[in-house]
Each structure stands twice: as C-alpha cells, then as structure tokens.
Amino acid sequence: MNQTTITYNDKCVRYFLWASIIWGLVGMLAGVLAALQMNISLDIVRDSATLRPIVEFLSGGTLESEGIPYITFGRLRPVHTNAAIFAFVGNMMFAGIYYSTQRLCRCRVASDKLTWTHFWLWQIIIVAAAITLPLGLTQGKEYAELIWPIDLLVAVTWLIFGYNFFWTLIKRNEQSLYVSLWFYIATIITITMLYVVNNLQIPTSLTHSYPIFGGVQDALVQWWYGHNAVAFFLTTPILGIMYYFLPKAANRPVYSYRLSIIHFWALVFIYIWAGPHHLLNTALPEWLQILGMLFSVILWAPSWGGMLNGLLTLRGAWDKLQTDPVIKFYAAAVTFYGMATFEGPLLSIKSVNALSHYTDWTIGHVHSGTLGWNGFMAAGLFYWMVPRLWKTELYSKALANAHFWIGFIGILLYISALWIAGIGQSLALNETANGYVVKQFVETLDAIQWPLFARSIGGSFYLLGFVLLAYNLFMTCKKGKAVDAQVEVVVRNRDEVDRVTIGTIVKQDPFAAVLGFILALVFWVTSPGNWFALAGLIFFGVLCFVRFKRNAQSWTDWHETITANYLPFTIITFFAAAIGGAVQIIPNTLTAKAEIIDDRLQLVYTPLELAGRDIYIAEGCYNCHSQMIRMLETDYVRYGDYSRLGESLYDHPFQWGSKRTGPDLAREGGDLVDGSDVMRQGVRDNFWHYRHFMNPRDLDVKSNMPSYSSLASLETDFKALPEKIRVQSLLNIPYPTMTPHEIEQHAQDQALEISKSIVNQNPYISWAGEDMSRQEIEATLAQKEIIALIAYMQKLGVYSIPLDEDGNPKAPAPAPWEDPDRQLKNNSPTAN
C-alpha cells in the first residue's frame, strides 16, 4: 500500500459558504418585505396619510401610483422561497457536502474543473431566477417556478455535481461508506427523479411552457415533488451534515450506528409516500388521501429516531452549551427538526388538516423547519467551519451568542404569531350561528393583522441575527488566512475498496424477504380490498420478523456489505425512494381522463381566457387564492358547490392553491352549466373586476390585495396564442381546428365585448386621453392584459355534464354530507 499526502479542495467550500451567507441575506430580506406587504390593511397603515401610500407603493401601487409591479407579493414570494431553498440552503448544503465527502473518502474531490463549473453555474441559476421571477416569468408551481431554460441549466448543473460526487466515491481511500454519505446519495438520486418528472413540459416560447400534467395529475405530481423537495433537499442532506459535523463539534461518537441505519432506510422509503397530505379533503381520489395521511403519520417515528440520535450524541457534552455557540445552534436545530417532524404528521390528519390547510398555521410550520432546522444548522456549520478554513479563532463568541438569542426569539415570535393567526382565522371562517356562516372572508383577514405584523417583527429579528453572523465571520476571515487542509492517507486499489459484487448482495439475507415485503405492500396499497395482497403482506412481514430474530447479526452484516460498494447501495436507495412515487402517480395518470369523468367536465378556455390564465399565473395569484373548494360544509356554503375532479382537467398547470390570503375563486365565474356565450356574467360583472384590479381598496378598505393597475398599461400578447393553443392541443385538450388568424381574431372580438361592457358603466377610463372617442377607448382597452385577466375570471366554475351511453346527462355526485336539511347558509351575497 502506498502512502501519500492529500490536499483537500477547501477553496470551493469557502466559496459555497460565502455564497450561502450572501444569498441567505437576500432571501431573508425578500421574506421580510413580503411579510410586511401582508400588513397593508393594519389600522395604523390604513389610517395614516403618510404610511399608507408608502406601503401601497411597495405592495404594487394604487390607481394613482402604479408602484413597483415587480415586487408585488405574488412575484416576490417565489423570489423569497427560491432564494431560501436553492440559494441559501443549497449553497450551504454544497459547502457541507464538499467538505465532509473529501474527508470521509480520504481523497481530494475527483475533479476541480467540475467543482468550479458546478459552483458558477449554480450562481448563474440563482441570478437568472432573481431576474425572471420578478418579471413574472414562471411556471406557476410552488418551489418549481423556474422557466424551462433555467430548469435545463439546473438539470445540467445537478448532473455535474452528482457525477463529481460519485466519481469521488469511486476514487475514495476509505473502504466503508459513512452514514453522511448515505444521505448525500439519497439526496442526489431522489432530487434528480423528482425534478425531472415534475418539470416535464412543452415550451411555447423561450420563456413560457405548459407542463405535460394537468389538473389532478399535476396536483399529485407537484406535491409529490413539493413535499419531497423539503424531504430530500432541506432534510436528508442536512441530516448527512448533522451526522458528520455534530459529532465533530461535540467531540463525541454518534450515539447509535444501528439507529442511524433504521433512520436512513425508513426515512428514504416512507417520506416519498407522504405528498398527498397536501391535498386532503380535495377532489384527489380518496385512496390517495388516505395513503398520504397514513404514511405521514408513520413518518413521525423515523424522523424522531434521527432527532434522538442527534441529541443523544451530545451526551457528555452538554456543558459546552454554556461556552460553545456551535453546540447551541446544533442542539436548537435538531430540536426544531423534532418539533417540525411532529407537527407535520399532526397536520396530515384529515380532521386537523381541515382546520390548518389554507391558513398561516401551515406557513408557521414550514418556517419552524426552515428557520429553526435549516437556518440554525447553517449557522452552526458556518461558525464551526470558518475558523478551520481560515486557521484562526472566531472573531467574537459574544456576537455569535447574541445571534443565537436574537434568532431564537425571532423564530418563537414568528411561529407563535402564525399559530394564532392560522388557527384564529380558520375558527372564524368556520363560525356559524343559527344555521348561517357568520364572517366574511375579509373580516377574518382583518382580525389577524396584528399577529401577521408580529410575524414580520419575528422575521426581522431572524434577519438581524444573520447580519451579525455575516459581520462576525467576515471579521474572522479578515484576521485569518485561507488554508487548504492536508492529510496523510493510504492509497487503496479499486478492488480493495469496492470489493463486494451485486450478486453477493442479492443472495444474502435479508434481501429476498425485504423485497417480498415491499412488493406485497405495494400490491396491498394499490388493491386495498384484495385478500390475496393482504395475505402476502402478512406472510412476508412475519418472514422478515422470524429471519431477523433468528439471526440479527446476518442483517447487520448484510448492511455492512452494501455500504462497502457505492453502486449497489445507490441502486437499492433509488428503488426504495421510487416505489412510493410510482404507486401514487401511475394509477392516477391512467384514470384522470376526460372520457371517464362521470360528474362534471371543464369547458375549454377560449384563446382570450387562456391568455388571461397565463397572466394570472405570471402575477403569482395562486400564492393567495385557491381554486379548490374542499368537501367541507363551511367551504361549500361560503364559496359554492365543492370542486369536482373533472373541473380542472384541462388546467396546465393546476391552480388548486395552498394558501388563502384571499377567497377561493373556483366559482367566481358563476358555477353554471354554460359557457357558449362569451359575455355571460359570473358572480360579479366585468366592471367590478376592472375596479378591483385597478385598486382593491376602492371596493373594500380592509383588502390587502395589491393593485394590478399596471395591467391596464400592458398589451396582451395575442401573437403568442396560436403556438400556445397548438401546445395545448398536443396535451389532448380538445380545441377545435383554427388558423392563427382565427385564434387571434376570436381573442380580439371577445376582448372588445368585455371592454365595451366596462366602458358602458364608466365612459371615461382614468388613463385614457381626453381627445379619445368612446370607440377608441374601447378598442385601446381591449388590447390590455387586464381585459384578458377579467375574461379568465369570468370562466372559473363553468363546466359541462358528461353524457352517458344513452345520451343523457350523468347523475351528479352526492353532497359531501348526509343530511341536506342541515345545510348552512351564507349571511350575505358577499360572504366570501
């Protein structure tokens, strides 16, 4: 065996570290601004001649002042979430992975060129997102907003990172894969699978595309991706970092190696099934809702296994809490991980979800994970790494301790404020008296303004803490000197490292028994009434138990065998993660089709309505409004008849929403079995919508919706419609055959009719010149984006009823409750 000196590539770690800090500050600042925009209807703002114009300007503007449309809440929130997830946590994750992987493999990263390509491409992606999202260039899917050219760049960059990582594993001089490397492997292969499937799309231009999935299919795929982006981008790599850096900081071994094995495999297998819990009480098929709820509750056990493994690793090092800020941050982060993974399964129970969904409670839950778990782990990592990477002492432990307490208070204020806001608003929305729904939606929103303001204060505290971190670490770097670590290693031959073959692994216990159990579980989940599937599940479950009890050591030896070869370990990890997604998505893809919809079927959007829908998505309206009325009595009465699966069948992407800062819009068009007349009015007339978009507080002073008066100045892109409809037809949306000229003319005609109806009620449009005739005003207004958006709003809730084999309308689905005599009523036509 040859012995040599290895110099690690720590320069890339330093770059990723500072990129994370800088982008983290940007993302947190965007989050604070977005939070403050929710306080626009505070009494002190509403009644102040000084504050109100400023806040309205920063929230998008008013009729008098168009403000800054690029930072309206709908556009700013995706900037915040993408900056927090991919820029802040992403760069922090890469810093931790590159640092620990080189030391766990006892070799330099395989390719410096690939490493630097990865770094710079990732920063280009972040800059591209920061430019395009404020411009309204988006896919309109949460955590997957980036347009298709950036998606391709993400895919290429991720593949470069993955290739470099696995190449480093191949070159390693350490025989066995340590726990952290398991979590990194799971992250790389699962994120690849999630990102590719969720971003399958057909472009219509350089900046626009439609996803290949629509309606309930898109909803399921999106939350399979969205929930597991949290799992495999914000959790598994950070757990890998925890398993390496926490024992280092505490100078203690990991509490239990066996518990880490159980934690890893249970988490990888179970997490991927939990996505449907984001769609409880909706039109999603019931079996998928139950499946998502069941696995979400089960997920509590492995999550807490990881938390306990982390906290118990600190046994014998608790005295360091008083002196070492790194231990403070790590201990608090792991505790917040435990809190978030307890609250998550709780919110996945249907009855609890009925209270929490669409409210700020969910936002508080998400931030207990991102601020407490990810943010504090990042801080602990940075405070530990910087002195070692620059060969010096931390500039100020007092500042680090101040950061901890300021951030900790900020988190507690943030979360508790949103618990109060979310639960309070939900209870108010469900309040009834004498058989009537009592509260209007805007009243419930107005009642939680002070908790939302407290959330803004908490977020500002947290941002201040990270400003202290940036200053502290900058001063640390300034007094130190960047040095790449060196270590003496024994160079091993490849056959000595990856010495185990796939055939050896397959033949050993427990491979066959566990594989049989997993296949039986899949069979039972997809055929819950099948007694043969249940019998197979029980048989293989008992077989696994008996074999384990008979020779537990053989199971431990088998796991040690697969950790000695990265390839079979990676293959097994992939199948463990892929099974859940396949079971959920494939059956739903085959069944959610127009020809088998048995209740209501969405009417195809006209060209103008399609243009308006794209504007709605570009403005990020889905961040505040849902288009999914749940099968809950108060939802049904407040917003209209509950949503059916077929009513969003042609929506690419779906718009069910996940947060209601405004009322549900699923019946805004009137809930009518109609649609042939382009001038059919919905719940409100065209002029009402025009006034509402121009200045929402002109209609209700308590509204916190931003003004969209800028849409009255922007021209609708009629020329783009033929290509958009061609792509829609490729997605099996039944558009009639039309020439490009016919498509544009149809859109122009419908826009002119809507424009005429508005001018009839208001002959003088505020932006029109005095020398314009009425016909010129109508023609000019018809070209504006605001008209297309109004056309879309008037289409929402319009459907047809499919016919049976005899040509008769199919019977409607039953109401979601058994006793129609006890139905609640709205207290007024404006209850929503």
Side-chain angles (χ1 to χ4, degrees):
M1 294 184 184
N2 297 324
Q3 197 168 24
T4 188
T5 300
I6 297 292
T7 301
Y8 296 131
N9 184 350
D10 287 337
K11 185 178 180 180
C12 73
V13 178
R14 290 188 286 269
Y15 271 62
F16 275 115
L17 184 150
W18 272 107
S20 176
I21 294 171
I22 294 169
W23 288 121
L25 292 172
V26 172
M28 292 173 202
L29 182 61
V32 170
L33 178 57
L36 288 170
Q37 289 179 343
M38 292 291 99
N39 306 135
I40 193 171
S41 62
L42 268 175
D43 292 338
I44 58 172
V45 174
R46 198 163 56 208
D47 300 334
S48 171
T50 303
L51 288 177
R52 182 173 175 176
I54 296 173
V55 175
E56 288 190 338
F57 180 79
L58 293 176
S59 299
T62 65
L63 187 62
E64 292 76 23
S65 171
E66 288 189 5
I68 312 175
Y70 308 112
I71 60 168
T72 56
F73 182 82
R75 296 193 186 188
L76 188 61
R77 181 181 183 267
V79 174
H80 163 62
T81 55
N82 280 270
I85 295 171
F86 300 109
F88 170 50
V89 179
N91 278 299
M92 167 263 193
M93 173 187 78
F94 295 134
I97 289 176
Y98 276 112
Y99 184 95
S100 59
T101 298
Q102 293 183 91
R103 286 154 176 83
L104 291 172
C105 293
R106 295 184 69 77
C107 70
R108 187 180 175 91
V109 65
S111 170
D112 289 340
K113 289 184 178 179
L114 289 180
T115 302
W116 289 113
T117 302
H118 169 207
F119 173 81
W120 289 113
L121 286 181
W122 196 256
Q123 310 318 309
I124 290 171
I125 289 166
I126 296 167
V127 172
I131 293 172
T132 55
L133 291 174
L135 292 174
L137 302 176
T138 174
Q139 284 193 69
K141 300 173 72 170
E142 288 188 67
Y143 318 133
E145 291 92 351
L146 304 183
I147 56 177
W148 69 267
I150 305 178
D151 279 335
L152 287 179
L153 189 56
V154 171
V156 170
T157 307
W158 192 259
L159 288 175
I160 289 172
F161 163 58
Y163 182 82
N164 202 14
F165 174 82
F166 283 109
W167 189 5
T168 304
L169 294 188
I170 293 173
K171 293 179 63 177
R172 73 187 188 278
N173 293 304
E174 187 68 42
Q175 289 187 333
S176 185
L177 302 176
Y178 178 66
V179 179
S180 295
L181 297 175
W182 310 348
F183 284 97
Y184 301 158
I185 290 170
T187 297
I188 292 170
I189 62 172
T190 310
I191 288 295
T192 303
M193 173 180 64
L194 293 166
Y195 203 87
V196 168
V197 174
N198 190 53
N199 286 291
L200 293 173
Q201 54 198 293
I202 303 178
T204 67
S205 70
L206 183 63
T207 59
H208 184 266
S209 64
Y210 290 117
I212 68 169
F213 300 107
V216 66
Q217 297 176 0
D218 194 41
L220 183 62
V221 171
Q222 160 60 23
W223 284 116
W224 170 73
Y225 160 84
H227 181 77
N228 292 298
V230 173
F232 290 94
F233 200 91
L234 300 178
T235 302
T236 54
I238 314 305
L239 286 169
I241 287 171
M242 179 196 80
Y243 273 111
Y244 179 84
F245 290 96
L246 181 60
K248 288 282 187 181
N251 196 26
R252 303 281 298 173
V254 171
Y255 170 71
S256 172
Y257 178 70
R258 178 170 290 184
L259 183 56
S260 67
I261 296 174
I262 298 171
H263 174 211
F264 173 78
W265 289 109
L267 203 71
V268 169
F269 177 72
I270 295 171
Y271 229 129
I272 209 80
W273 298 75
H277 76 227
H278 289 265
L279 303 168
L280 298 179
N281 301 298
T282 68
L284 187 74
E286 185 70 15
W287 73 274
L288 280 168
Q289 295 187 41
I290 294 173
L291 189 70
M293 180 178 67
L294 176 65
F295 276 91
S296 298
V297 173
I298 296 172
L299 187 60
W300 170 79
S303 298
W304 269 43
M307 177 199 68
L308 293 173
N309 214 9
L311 290 179
L312 292 174
T313 298
L314 295 174
R315 290 195 314 170
W318 287 110
D319 58 300
K320 292 185 178 181
L321 275 174
Q322 299 179 6
T323 58
D324 190 347
V326 173
I327 297 297
K328 277 193 181 74
F329 278 104
Y330 280 157
V334 176
T335 303
F336 273 108
Y337 171 64
M339 283 180 54
T341 53
F342 173 79
E343 190 177 30
L346 175 67
L347 297 180
S348 302
I349 300 170
K350 288 190 77 170
S351 57
V352 180
N353 188 268
L355 179 70
S356 69
H357 193 44
Y358 292 133
T359 76
D360 286 290
W361 187 358
T362 303
I363 309 301
H365 161 65
V366 170
H367 282 78
S368 70
T370 52
L371 298 179
W373 164 234
N374 294 137
F376 272 16
M377 277 297 296
L381 177 69
F382 297 158
Y383 283 126
W384 188 89
M385 289 175 67
V386 167
R388 288 161 176 79
L389 292 171
W390 273 267
K391 296 299 180 184
T392 186
E393 295 291 324
L394 184 65
Y395 173 72
S396 173
K397 284 190 176 182
L399 276 179
N401 284 318
H403 170 200
F404 174 82
W405 288 112
I406 292 173
F408 189 71
I409 292 170
I411 294 173
L412 295 183
L413 184 57
Y414 193 109
I415 297 170
S416 58
L418 291 192
W419 280 342
I420 294 169
I423 297 173
Q425 185 180 23
S426 188
L427 291 175
L429 287 169
N430 288 289
E431 185 180 349
T432 61
N434 300 319
Y436 285 84
V437 175
V438 175
K439 298 284 188 180
Q440 296 184 32
F441 187 93
V442 73
E443 291 178 304
T444 69
L445 192 64
D446 189 54
I448 63 171
Q449 283 299 302
W450 283 109
L452 291 182
F453 184 68
R455 180 265 298 271
S456 302
I457 299 300
S460 299
F461 271 50
Y462 195 85
L463 172 60
L464 175 60
F466 257 82
V467 171
L468 295 179
L469 174 141
Y471 173 76
N472 200 359
L473 295 184
F474 174 77
M475 296 303 294
T476 303
C477 297
K478 191 175 179 180
K479 75 170 187 175
K481 181 180 180 181
V483 177
D484 291 350
Q486 292 184 331
V487 64
E488 291 286 329
V489 301
V490 174
V491 180
R492 299 181 183 274
N493 298 323
R494 297 281 60 78
D495 57 352
E496 187 180 3
V497 177
D498 293 327
R499 63 189 185 282
V500 181
T501 65
I502 296 177
T504 304
I505 292 170
V506 172
K507 293 176 183 178
Q508 289 182 356
D509 206 21
F511 183 83
V514 173
L515 180 62
F517 177 79
I518 293 173
L519 293 177
L521 175 64
V522 172
F523 187 21
W524 178 70
V525 165
T526 54
S527 307
N530 190 312
W531 288 100
F532 180 72
L534 180 60
L537 182 65
I538 295 172
F539 171 78
F540 281 105
V542 172
L543 181 63
C544 288
F545 178 77
V546 170
R547 289 203 171 192
F548 177 78
K549 293 297 290 183
R550 182 180 299 170
N551 191 356
Q553 186 59 43
S554 68
W555 288 51
T556 302
D557 293 342
W558 180 82
H559 193 270
E560 290 302 307
T561 301
I562 65 170
T563 59
N565 191 330
Y566 80 95
L567 184 58
F569 185 93
T570 302
I571 293 172
I572 294 171
T573 302
F574 169 76
F575 279 106
I579 290 171
V583 170
Q584 295 171 60
I585 294 170
I586 294 175
N588 194 56
T589 303
L590 298 175
T591 56
K593 296 181 179 179
E595 58 269 22
I596 59 175
I597 296 297
D598 60 358
D599 193 347
R600 297 175 181 177
L601 185 60
Q602 181 181 18
L603 291 175
V604 176
Y605 297 114
T606 66
L608 184 66
E609 291 160 359
L610 182 64
R613 188 174 194 275
D614 289 339
I615 293 167
Y616 179 94
I617 292 169
E619 295 299 332
C621 302
Y622 59 89
N623 287 295
C624 290
H625 293 281
S626 61
Q627 292 180 29
M628 170 53 59
I629 302 172
R630 295 173 296 174
M631 294 184 184
L632 302 173
E633 193 168 2
T634 49
D635 257 36
Y636 179 97
V637 174
R638 183 178 297 278
Y639 304 115
D641 197 7
Y642 67 94
S643 300
R644 311 305 206 276
L645 185 148
E647 292 183 85
S648 58
L649 192 66
Y650 302 139
D651 283 351
H652 296 258
F654 83 112
Q655 291 293 288
W656 291 9
S658 63
K659 172 73 174 69
R660 284 176 181 159
T661 306
D664 189 278
L665 301 178
R667 301 286 172 225
E668 190 60 35
D671 188 17
L672 298 175
V673 188
D674 188 13
S676 57
D677 184 359
V678 298
M679 277 304 299
R680 183 193 57 74
Q681 295 291 300
V683 174
R684 302 168 180 84
D685 61 35
N686 295 325
F687 183 54
W688 186 96
H689 284 293
Y690 177 82
R691 292 175 62 202
H692 189 236
F693 288 130
M694 293 298 285
N695 185 7
R697 277 157 295 287
D698 182 40
L699 296 172
D700 193 326
V701 70
K702 296 179 180 179
S703 174
N704 68 351
M705 175 176 161
S707 165
Y708 288 96
S709 55
S710 60
L711 298 180
S713 303
L714 301 173
E715 303 280 332
T716 301
D717 189 0
F718 291 102
K719 295 294 183 183
L721 288 172
E723 180 62 17
K724 289 182 176 181
I725 288 178
R726 185 190 72 82
V727 172
Q728 292 263 309
S729 299
L730 291 176
L731 296 170
N732 296 319
I733 298 176
Y735 274 99
T737 302
M738 294 183 288
T739 65
H741 174 73
E742 289 172 332
I743 291 171
E744 292 181 41
Q745 191 61 50
H746 190 288
Q748 294 274 9
D749 292 344
Q750 185 177 1
L752 186 59
E753 290 300 312
I754 295 174
S755 176
K756 286 180 178 179
S757 72
I758 294 172
V759 177
N760 277 339
Q761 292 181 263
N762 182 21
Y764 182 76
I765 301 299
S766 61
W767 49 261
E770 293 183 6
D771 57 342
M772 295 177 68
S773 68
R774 177 166 175 166
Q775 289 74 23
E776 289 174 328
I777 292 175
E778 290 171 349
T780 302
L781 180 61
Q783 303 301 307
K784 306 303 181 183
E785 287 189 349
I786 196 170
I787 299 300
L789 184 54
I790 291 171
Y792 172 64
M793 299 302 295
Q794 296 289 22
K795 186 59 168 282
L796 296 178
V798 184
Y799 59 86
S800 65
I801 297 180
L803 304 178
D804 60 21
E805 295 178 355
D806 298 326
N808 299 316
K810 293 183 179 180
W817 53 85
E818 296 181 359
D819 183 6
D821 295 331
R822 59 179 289 273
Q823 292 181 12
L824 297 172
K825 301 176 182 178
N826 267 331
N827 66 336
S828 75
T830 59
N832 59 330

